[in-house]
Amino acid sequence: MRAPASLRGRLALWLGLALVALWLATALLTAGLMRRELDALFDSALQESAERLLPLAVNDVLGRGPADENDEDDPRILGVIAPHDEFLTYVLRDPAGRVLLQSHAVDPAGFPPWDGPGFRSTATLRLYNIAALRDTVRLTVAEPLAHRACIAREALWMLLLPLLVVVPLAFAAIWLALRAGLAPLQRWRERLAARGARDLSPVSAGDLPSELAPIAATLDDVLCRLSAAFEAERSFAANAAHELRTLLAGAIARAQRLQAETADPAARMRAAAMEAALKRLLRVSERLMQLARAEGARLRRDSAADLCPVVRILVEEQGRDAGDERIRLRLPEAAVLSDLDPDALAIILRNLIDNALRHGDPAKPVDVTLTSEGILRVSNDGLSIPPETLARLATRFTRAGSSAEGSGLGLAIVATIAERIGSRLHLTSPRPGATSGLTAEMMLPCASDCEVEKRDNRPSRHSVSSSAS
């Protein structure tokens, strides 16, 4: 038998089985003690019956006069009476073993020879012998052992039959008692299950039993340390990205100055190559920082806000870099509420748009769409991607064979964030309804029942730009 998965079920099962086992052991022990007491009681009744019967039998036999050994109808032999059940039988014999008097339907041959007064037992009978008239008249009274065993079994059944009623009631009582006793644990579990992955605040232990309170305290400590680790990682990623960007920007500026000041064509070419390498290093470092943040930082907030202003700001910034004609934006009229962190949204959108601009047809626009259901879709025209390449395109350092420069991390970062927020990045090539191009689509977490944050709390263009980059 497989144990129940729940603690309540296991406790109810084992407590119920223990109760049944205890009841059975008690019933068997009581039956054993009762059997001993019944044997003593029956022996006493057997002895008392023999002592009361002996004087009556002697008077009956002696009052009939001397016996005739040749008379088969000797009056000292009890005549046949109406059939009836006899739990006690008796035989009155003389020293020679001749039956003087017997009870109805008794077989004297089943009585053992006289071996003195007292109790005796055979395989089927419990006997009591008693003599009178100087051992000239001997009475043996017998009781079937099956009669005693039948009474003992009936007594045992009387002890066991209540189990049919008591056991179901006991299981129900145990279940209700455990349900009431474990109710604080159930409420604590529900509070813990109702929290999202982004909520790392301590869980209220409430009225948990003292045995379980240390578990809740340990969990709260783990959540606090985890929250501190996420914040530290996020701070480190932001600071490292800022410092590294500053150093690389300075190096790029020096390379550009070297190109402007030197008259040597070879030196100018080396400075241009150095500038290109530094810019590529800057892009790769930014992508690596984004990937680190996507894998370890907190990507969802405690409250929901409208995603449309954030998407509009990001698309405008990307459009200025790529040209206003390259990106076309479609937003719903209603607000799209989500608890997704604006920095995470900026990372997603920048990487998807950058990937579309780098690997799409330069003469065709990139379409960015956010639906009212929270679906973010970025499409670009260009060569179709084979299915085998498309299947591994979101893995790290994988490119679709394009000649355009890239780190091979953009789609991997978006896929990582999508997995962290409970979504998935879907890549389709060619685009739906077309014969070429690529569409990247993912569902953003929506919270339609939340209120839009106040206008002054919405992220500004400067904050989104600086935190995402």
Side-chain angles (χ1 to χ4, degrees):
M1 182 180 63
R2 186 175 181 180
S6 67
L7 176 62
R8 183 193 308 169
R10 292 184 182 183
L11 288 176
L13 175 63
W14 292 117
L15 287 176
L17 292 179
L19 178 62
V20 172
L22 182 61
W23 188 288
L24 289 175
T26 303
L28 294 176
L29 179 61
T30 303
L33 295 175
M34 186 180 296
R35 181 63 185 268
R36 291 177 55 185
E37 296 297 326
L38 286 176
D39 286 342
L41 179 63
F42 284 129
D43 284 348
S44 176
L46 189 64
Q47 181 180 355
E48 184 176 354
S49 299
E51 291 175 349
R52 289 181 177 273
L53 182 61
L54 180 60
L56 298 176
V58 170
N59 291 334
D60 184 69
V61 172
L62 294 180
R64 296 169 185 256
D68 185 358
E69 296 182 359
N70 297 323
D71 187 2
E72 295 181 358
D73 296 329
D74 191 289
R76 288 174 293 183
I77 300 176
L78 186 64
V80 178
I81 62 176
H84 62 281
D85 293 333
E86 289 183 329
F87 295 118
L88 293 180
T89 58
Y90 60 89
V91 173
L92 184 68
R93 296 176 288 192
D94 59 12
R98 191 165 62 94
V99 176
L100 303 177
L101 188 67
Q102 71 180 52
S103 62
H104 168 66
V106 68
D107 183 11
F111 284 68
W114 178 269
D115 57 350
F119 289 99
R120 304 288 186 275
S121 294
T122 65
T124 58
L125 298 174
R126 179 66 170 171
L127 308 168
Y128 182 76
N129 295 332
I130 187 173
L133 301 178
R134 297 181 181 181
D135 201 26
T136 59
V137 179
R138 299 169 177 177
L139 178 66
T140 301
V141 182
E143 180 185 11
L145 293 178
H147 176 239
R148 296 190 177 190
C150 180
I151 294 178
R153 285 194 300 270
E154 290 179 356
L156 179 60
W157 277 114
M158 292 299 294
L159 293 173
L160 294 179
L161 283 177
L163 279 176
L164 300 177
V165 177
V166 172
V167 169
L169 293 178
F171 270 98
I174 291 173
W175 180 266
L176 293 176
L178 289 175
R179 182 177 180 180
L182 296 177
L185 179 60
Q186 177 70 15
R187 290 192 293 269
W188 182 75
R189 186 190 69 83
E190 291 174 354
R191 288 195 298 268
L192 186 61
R195 298 157 63 93
R198 61 194 180 279
D199 189 359
L200 298 178
S201 60
V203 184
S204 175
D207 51 350
L208 275 181
S210 58
E211 293 82 2
L212 299 177
I215 299 178
T218 303
L219 178 62
D220 289 344
D221 182 60
V222 171
L223 290 176
C224 290
R225 286 184 290 175
L226 188 60
S227 178
F230 282 161
E231 292 298 329
E233 184 173 356
R234 180 177 182 178
S235 177
F236 169 78
N239 294 334
H242 176 73
E243 294 298 328
L244 187 60
R245 187 188 310 110
T246 301
L247 295 176
L248 289 176
I252 292 172
R254 289 184 176 86
Q256 292 174 345
R257 183 176 179 180
L258 181 60
Q259 293 181 65
E261 293 179 348
T262 184
D264 186 0
R268 186 178 293 110
M269 291 180 59
R270 287 193 296 270
M274 185 184 303
E275 179 187 0
L278 289 173
K279 288 182 178 180
R280 186 174 185 277
L281 178 60
L282 179 61
R283 289 193 299 271
V284 173
S285 64
E286 289 179 351
R287 296 295 188 273
L288 291 174
M289 289 297 177
Q290 291 176 357
L291 182 61
R293 185 177 185 278
E295 291 178 338
R298 187 177 178 185
L299 301 179
R300 300 177 72 172
R301 304 189 304 173
D302 297 331
S303 59
D306 187 10
L307 296 181
C308 294
V310 181
V311 174
R312 185 178 293 108
I313 293 171
L314 293 170
V315 170
E316 288 177 358
E317 290 184 352
Q318 291 286 95
R320 285 197 302 269
D321 296 336
D324 293 337
E325 302 297 329
R326 288 294 310 274
I327 304 177
R328 296 186 304 191
L329 176 63
R330 294 184 181 89
L331 293 175
E333 295 181 0
V336 180
L337 300 178
S338 176
D339 56 7
L340 182 64
D341 190 272
D343 291 347
L345 177 59
I347 293 175
I348 293 173
L349 201 54
R350 286 180 182 277
N351 280 282
L352 291 180
I353 294 177
D354 183 71
N355 182 80
L357 292 174
R358 288 181 179 275
H359 303 284
D361 187 346
K364 299 295 179 64
V366 173
D367 293 322
V368 178
T369 304
L370 178 64
T371 68
S372 57
E373 294 81 13
I375 298 176
L376 178 63
R377 186 181 300 112
V378 178
S379 301
N380 64 274
D381 199 357
L383 298 176
S384 298
I385 301 176
E388 59 275 10
T389 304
L390 189 67
R392 54 186 178 85
L393 195 59
T395 58
R396 300 178 186 180
F397 306 107
T398 299
R399 288 183 286 269
S402 173
S403 58
E405 294 183 357
S407 61
L409 289 173
L411 294 180
I413 294 171
V414 176
T416 301
I417 295 178
E419 182 180 359
R420 288 281 313 281
I421 63 176
S423 182
R424 184 180 178 183
L425 175 64
H426 296 276
L427 300 177
T428 306
S429 182
R431 296 173 299 168
T435 58
S436 61
L438 173 70
T439 296
E441 179 180 292
M442 67 176 293
M443 173 69 75
L444 302 179
C446 287
S448 57
D449 55 340
C450 297
E451 296 182 358
V452 184
E453 290 186 339
K454 294 181 180 179
R455 184 180 302 274
D456 56 352
N457 289 332
R458 291 178 178 173
S460 65
R461 177 178 304 186
H462 174 73
S463 63
V464 173
S465 176
S466 60
S467 60
S469 59

